[in-house]
Amino acid sequence: MRLTKFTDLALRAVMRLAVNAPEESVTTREVAESMDVPYAHMAKVVTRLQHLGVIEARRGRAGGLTLTEVGRRSSVGWLARTLEGEEEVVACEGDPPCPLRTACRLRGALREAQEAFYRALDPLTVADMVSSPTGPLLLTLSSRPTPQT
């Protein structure tokens, strides 16, 4: 199974925020730069995570992003399921629909495999994902140096 780029960015953003002290915040731009992704992509991810209650985003001079307690305790499996949505691994009802859809055993097997993938992630929390050596490495990531002109 393959996660969407959106889910990958969201998990990385949450991990980046998880290594900060609870009172420490970083900006969306700082997270985007440290993960080497476009700001616009990270801004969309941040908005979705905020709606899920995983992060808190504050505007203004003292603003920034912080991970909520819900976010810190969240299961990686729950986050992946929620961000990926309920889509099937294969699109049997696509256009044109698969001619095997009424008697196919593959669809059920793939759905079962997808659920097994998420179940393997369920016991892991965001806090688990940033234990050593990952957490210390995340703290060393910073934005790329700006080129000198």
Side-chain angles (χ1 to χ4, degrees), residues 90-102 104 107:
V90 292
C92 300
E93 305 300 328
D95 186 28
C98 176
L100 302 175
R101 72 187 178 283
T102 58
C104 183
R107 184 180 191 177

Side-chain angles (χ1 to χ4, degrees), residues 16-17 20-28 30-31 56-67:
R16 173 59 186 87
L17 294 173
N20 288 354
E23 68 281 351
E24 184 182 357
S25 65
V26 294
T27 67
T28 302
E30 289 169 330
V31 174
E56 182 181 334
R58 292 181 310 277
R59 292 183 176 267
R61 187 175 186 160
L65 308 173
T66 55
L67 192 63

Side-chain angles (χ1 to χ4, degrees), residues 10-127:
L11 292 172
R12 288 194 277 158
V14 168
M15 289 171 61
R16 173 59 186 87
L17 294 173
V19 297
N20 288 354
E23 68 281 351
E24 184 182 357
S25 65
V26 294
T27 67
T28 302
R29 187 164 308 282
E30 289 169 330
V31 174
E33 289 175 355
S34 70
M35 294 295 140
D36 199 21
V37 298
Y39 169 80
H41 291 13
M42 189 57 71
K44 290 175 187 175
V45 165
V46 163
T47 299
R48 179 77 167 113
L49 291 171
Q50 184 180 11
H51 286 292
L52 291 174
V54 174
I55 65 169
E56 182 181 334
R58 292 181 310 277
R59 292 183 176 267
R61 187 175 186 160
L65 308 173
T66 55
L67 192 63
T68 65
E69 191 55 37
V70 168
R72 200 169 299 285
R73 292 189 325 254
S74 289
S75 157
V76 176
W78 172 79
L79 270 171
R81 264 188 205 90
T82 303
L83 294 166
E84 288 291 308
E86 296 295 322
E87 294 208 18
E88 298 270 342
V89 176
V90 292
C92 300
E93 305 300 328
D95 186 28
C98 176
L100 302 175
R101 72 187 178 283
T102 58
C104 183
R105 296 178 64 195
L106 179 61
R107 184 180 191 177
L110 290 173
R111 183 69 177 148
E112 197 173 304
Q114 181 181 30
E115 187 51 37
F117 174 81
Y118 291 135
R119 269 194 314 272
L121 296 174
D122 282 339
L124 301 170
T125 65
V126 171

